[in-house]
Amino acid sequence: MRVLGIESSCDETAAAVVTSEGEVLSDVVASQVAVHAPYGGVVPELASRAHVENVVPVIERALAEAGGLDTIDAVAVTNGPGLVGALLVGLSAAKGVAFARGLPLVGVDHLIGHLFAVYLRRPGEAGPAPALPYVALLVSGGHTAIYEVSAPGVAHVLGQTRDDAAGEAFDKVAKLLGLGYPGGPLVDRLAAAGDPRAIELPVPMSSRRTLDFSFSGLKTAVARHVREHGVPEDPADLCAAFQARVVRVLVDKSVHACVTRGIPRLVLGGGVAANRGLRARAAEVCAARGVALFVPPIASCTDNAAMIAYAGALRLAQGARDGLDLAAYSRTPDLARGKFPKRA
Ligand code: KG4
Ligand code: ZN
């Protein structure tokens, strides 16, 4: 079965065609980074307008690259969580295609899309895939949480941020330092040249008694440092100190979740999974604790429609069909918060 996936929950307009086995036949992403860069963050109304402009050309290109609309068996679309005005653009387009061709339509939770993206098979990238269950650390500009992924399309939250998402913290620190937007890759690059021990910063919510996170205190500590000492001429040490704190708490809690749940498999996802410091520490700690680490290619970690098509295929295989009255939602009702794992 070939599924057309459509994603427009935040600042990427994306369409892709994927088989039910996860083979990626096309994967088109129109980024809005240039639209939002002057504001240092995503502006919802501008995002909706850019989706309106991009959605038809992006879908047409994804279909053309995969062999045309006639080869499609079903349509999957992100219907939440996300910016409602942005979601509605992709949702309307998906309904239009499904109605015009009489194709089955399924809605996909954006987070479920991220959590199963590790099974996507891109040309020339046939990395190993984890067996179920696995623990997943999802770190992006909008989300930071640890999940237990237990069955196709099924996951529950073990811990999550109580304030900022990790990517949001990277972006805000980059803004404080006048580095540009999005800040994550810029902080990552500078951190590689800095000494993480040169500046004292707090480690946010480092206790293992909870798998929740908090990043706003760390961000405030960076702001205080800048207020007291000014923006450093060379911000490498400050970037390294900030990044090391974030990475340590993300990796240590994720691996702790694997150990206490007895699940020796960890999957990374979300845009922050591109961070070199995060990848390096995850590899190191996983190796030391006997946990197999799975890091999908960046194109599968950041927002894309291939993951939506694949998660849609999982729902279709389970018999799910949504009607044309499929609605958008801004919060996730499906991923009910799980109980904290017992300490080992
Ligand atoms: O998943 P994503 O593309 O979009 C959503 O937020 O849904 O993630 C974007 C986030 C931004 O906050 C960006 O600064 C961060 O991921 N990011 C990084 C890196 N690359 C992207 N953060 C740290 N290090 C990176 N190398
Ligand atoms: Zn996302």
Side-chain angles (χ1 to χ4, degrees), residues 6 14-15 19 36 41 62-63 95 114 117 122-123 136 148 153 156 161 177-178 229 243 247 249 256 260 273 279 327:
I6 298 173
T19 69
H36 303 290
L63 288 171
K95 287 180 185 179
H114 273 300
R122 296 172 181 277
E148 182 169 327
H156 74 274
T161 183
L177 299 175
H229 304 275
Q243 179 173 297
V247 161
V249 77
H256 185 66
T260 52
R279 287 168 171 240

Side-chain angles (χ1 to χ4, degrees), residues 213-238:
F213 302 102
S214 166
F215 297 109
S216 66
L218 177 59
K219 178 192 66 191
T220 305
V222 173
R224 195 180 313 119
H225 184 89
V226 167
R227 225 177 15 250
E228 284 167 12
H229 304 275
V231 174
E233 205 167 302
D234 178 0
D237 285 346
L238 194 49

Side-chain angles (χ1 to χ4, degrees), residues 36 57 70 105 126 141 144 165 208 222 225 233 241 252 278 293 311 317 323:
H36 303 290
D70 291 342
L105 171 72
T144 295
R208 285 179 177 174
V222 173
H225 184 89
E233 205 167 302
D252 291 6
L278 178 68
L293 176 67

Side-chain angles (χ1 to χ4, degrees), residues 110 114 140 143 303 307:
H110 180 82
H114 273 300
S140 73
H143 310 282
D303 283 353
M307 69 184 192

Side-chain angles (χ1 to χ4, degrees), residues 169-316:
F170 269 96
D171 293 340
K172 286 177 178 169
V173 163
K175 199 172 179 180
L176 279 170
L177 299 175
L179 298 177
Y181 172 85
L186 305 165
V187 172
D188 188 4
R189 200 174 320 135
L190 282 161
D195 175 3
R197 280 153 307 192
I199 295 162
E200 239 351 282
L201 292 174
V203 181
M205 269 179 87
S206 57
S207 163
R208 285 179 177 174
R209 261 175 303 187
T210 168
L211 293 174
D212 280 358
F213 302 102
S214 166
F215 297 109
S216 66
L218 177 59
K219 178 192 66 191
T220 305
V222 173
R224 195 180 313 119
H225 184 89
V226 167
R227 225 177 15 250
E228 284 167 12
H229 304 275
V231 174
E233 205 167 302
D234 178 0
D237 285 346
L238 194 49
C239 288
F242 164 77
Q243 179 173 297
R245 286 354 178 245
V246 175
V247 161
R248 191 193 307 167
V249 77
L250 288 174
V251 171
D252 291 6
K253 289 198 181 198
S254 303
V255 176
H256 185 66
C258 292
V259 172
T260 52
R261 309 295 289 176
I263 300 173
R265 289 170 291 280
L266 176 64
V267 173
L268 302 185
V272 183
N275 186 269
R276 283 173 294 172
L278 178 68
R279 287 168 171 240
R281 187 168 176 97
E284 190 185 310
V285 178
C286 283
R289 304 298 298 268
V291 172
L293 176 67
F294 299 85
V295 189
I298 299 297
S300 295
C301 286
T302 53
D303 283 353
N304 66 87
M307 69 184 192
I308 301 305
Y310 181 67
L314 293 178
R315 287 203 67 211
L316 288 157

